């Protein structure tokens, strides 16, 4: 009798703690919330080119992923970057407000889950294109293993690839390492627009993804190649912030040169990476810049400088 009561209490306590654990579990991160849905709008950039906004990843409750480019061509819609997992239907709903044409092509600017997350939610007939290094990086991600492999790029390129012509045209370029080792820059030549992916995500230090071949030391040179190719461009769709200009991209190259030079000086003086990150301040010279992401970037640059 007494044993039965004890067992009963133990079971009840177990059930209670399980219920408490379930209650405390945060909601599954995949898919939109009302706040993140509201932050995700389709905006006309020019003529047949639109941007579906993402948001700044610092506020996770609003975060949907990187900015998405939408080019409406005569034969179908080209989508550049698919945001986080769970956003495919929202992308289709937003696209439906500007065209009845089907999505025929996805381009991923790079491997990260906030730019490739909803690849799998599009039908298998949709062609997926990325730089060859990005395909290799994506193959390492759990999201693209097993059944998820259908979201991998089927077509890759090495230096440059052109799709379509006239106002339906876009050119994909690889200019070298930076955010990762497979960042695609897209120029929509007749629209005079460039899409930068996360090579220019925000006015702060870039995320340097060492595990996926990113480089702080080579960053500025890569950005300068993009600037050189952008002679006819007047508008930039960037990774995680509003539309920018080529002048701002040029400034970003200068900012990265200054960042690397400051880290070099600090390292030569025997300063630790942590102290260097705390003392380097480029926000006076570069108006509107933050330094929230500086410590992580300084550490990667520090390690790269041998
Ligand atoms: Zn990224």
């Amino acid at each position: 009798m007494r044993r039965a009561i004890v067992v009963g209490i133990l079971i009840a306590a177990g059930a209670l703690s399980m219920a408490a654990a379930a209650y405390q579990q945060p909601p599954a991160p995949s898919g939109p919330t009302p706040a993140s849905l509201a932050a995700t709008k389709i905006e006309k950039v020019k003529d047949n080119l639109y941007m579906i906004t993402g948001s700044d990843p610092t506020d996770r409750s609003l975060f949907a992923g990187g900015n998405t480019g939408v080019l409406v061509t005569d034969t179908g819609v080209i989508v550049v970057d698919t945001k986080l997992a769970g956003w495919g239907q929202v992308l289709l709903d937003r696209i439906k407000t500007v065209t009845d044409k089907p999505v025929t092509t996805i381009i991923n600017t790079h491997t990260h889950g906030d730019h490739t997350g909803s690849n799998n939610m599009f039908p298998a007939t949709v062609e997926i294109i990325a730089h060859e290094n990005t395909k290799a990086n994506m193959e390492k991600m759990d999201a693209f293993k097993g059944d998820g492999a259908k979201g991998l790029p089927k077509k890759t390129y090495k230096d440059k690839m052109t799709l379509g012509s006239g106002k339906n045209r876009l050119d994909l370029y690889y200019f070298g390492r930076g955010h990762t080792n497979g960042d695609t820059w897209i120029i929509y030549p007749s629209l005079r627009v460039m899409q930068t992916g996360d090579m220019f995500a925000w006015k702060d230090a870039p995320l340097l993804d060492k595990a996926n071949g990113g480089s702080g030391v080579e960053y500025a040179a890569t950005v300068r190649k993009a600037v050189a190719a952008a002679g006819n461009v007047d508008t930039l769709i960037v990774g995680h912030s509003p539309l920018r200009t080529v002048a701002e991209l040029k400034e970003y190259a200068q900012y990265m040169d200054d960042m690397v030079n400051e880290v070099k000086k600090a390292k030569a003086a025997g300063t630790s990476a942590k102290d260097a990150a705390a003392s380097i301040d480029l926000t006076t010279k570069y108006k509107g810049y933050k330094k929230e992401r500086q410590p992580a970037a300084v550490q990667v640059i520090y390690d790269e400088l041998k």
Side-chain angles (χ1 to χ4, degrees):
M1 183 68 187
R2 194 170 163 172
R3 179 173 291 172
I5 290 170
V6 171
V7 170
I9 289 168
L10 282 175
I11 289 169
L16 248 172
S17 69
M18 273 166 65
Y23 184 71
Q24 284 160 13
Q25 207 93 57
S30 64
T33 62
S36 59
L37 264 177
T40 306
K41 299 185 177 74
I42 189 159
E43 294 170 355
K44 190 179 209 133
V45 179
K46 262 185 207 180
D47 301 331
N48 55 324
L49 178 63
Y50 300 82
M51 170 169 85
I52 304 178
T53 54
S55 61
D56 191 311
T58 44
D59 185 347
R60 304 307 290 189
S61 71
L62 296 180
F63 191 46
N67 290 325
T68 296
V70 175
L71 184 70
V72 181
T73 77
D74 294 337
T75 50
V77 177
I78 300 175
V79 172
V80 180
D81 286 350
T82 60
K83 304 202 187 293
L84 292 167
W87 282 83
Q89 189 56 50
V90 178
L91 293 178
L92 290 173
D93 291 347
R94 296 289 185 265
I95 291 166
K96 209 175 284 172
T97 65
V98 299
T99 180
D100 291 330
K101 288 179 181 153
V103 173
T104 56
T105 309
I106 290 170
I107 297 167
N108 294 127
T109 58
H110 65 290
T111 189
H112 291 150
D114 56 332
H115 297 257
T116 60
S118 290
N119 279 17
N120 281 331
M121 300 184 71
F122 289 83
T125 50
V126 172
E127 176 144 70
I128 305 176
I129 305 172
H131 185 262
E132 58 185 20
N133 293 346
T134 285
K135 183 182 182 182
N137 292 336
M138 288 169 77
E139 283 168 342
K140 294 185 287 181
M141 294 166 71
D142 286 343
F144 297 106
K145 286 181 178 150
D147 195 35
K150 71 176 164 78
L152 285 170
K154 285 156 202 88
K155 201 189 242 184
T156 61
Y157 76 101
K158 196 178 170 62
D159 299 312
K160 187 187 175 189
M161 178 191 271
T162 293
L163 301 179
S165 61
K167 70 179 175 58
N168 301 320
R169 174 169 164 175
L170 55 79
D171 298 324
L172 294 79
Y173 292 92
Y174 178 67
F175 291 130
R177 295 165 68 203
H179 181 58
T180 69
N181 64 356
D183 299 287
T184 288
W185 301 73
I186 291 159
I187 295 182
Y188 306 88
S190 78
L191 301 170
R192 305 177 68 179
V193 177
M194 173 184 257
Q195 187 162 350
T196 69
D198 281 356
M199 281 299 298
F200 190 18
W202 41 59
K203 292 191 174 184
D204 195 339
L207 191 157
L208 303 172
D209 183 351
K210 221 161 88 172
N212 283 308
S215 168
V217 172
E218 294 176 30
Y219 210 104
T222 300
V223 173
R224 287 214 167 85
K225 284 186 203 156
V227 169
N232 200 35
V233 167
D234 59 26
T235 305
L236 305 181
I237 299 174
V238 302
H240 291 273
S241 46
L243 299 177
R244 305 283 189 204
T245 64
V246 177
E248 288 173 296
L249 182 64
K250 224 178 197 166
E251 182 188 56
Y252 202 56
Q254 189 58 50
Y255 164 84
M256 281 307 291
D257 262 346
D258 285 356
M259 173 79 71
V260 171
N261 285 333
E262 291 295 323
V263 176
K264 275 183 185 161
K265 268 194 272 174
K267 196 168 183 184
T271 312
S272 72
K274 201 168 165 247
D275 288 347
S279 65
I280 295 169
D281 186 3
L282 300 172
T283 61
T284 315
K285 180 172 174 188
Y286 294 94
K287 299 281 170 246
Y289 273 65
K290 294 182 190 168
K291 48 178 184 172
E292 286 165 17
R293 297 172 183 276
Q294 190 172 286
V298 166
Q299 183 66 57
V300 173
I301 296 166
Y302 204 90
D303 294 344
E304 243 186 302
L305 294 168
K306 280 277 148 43

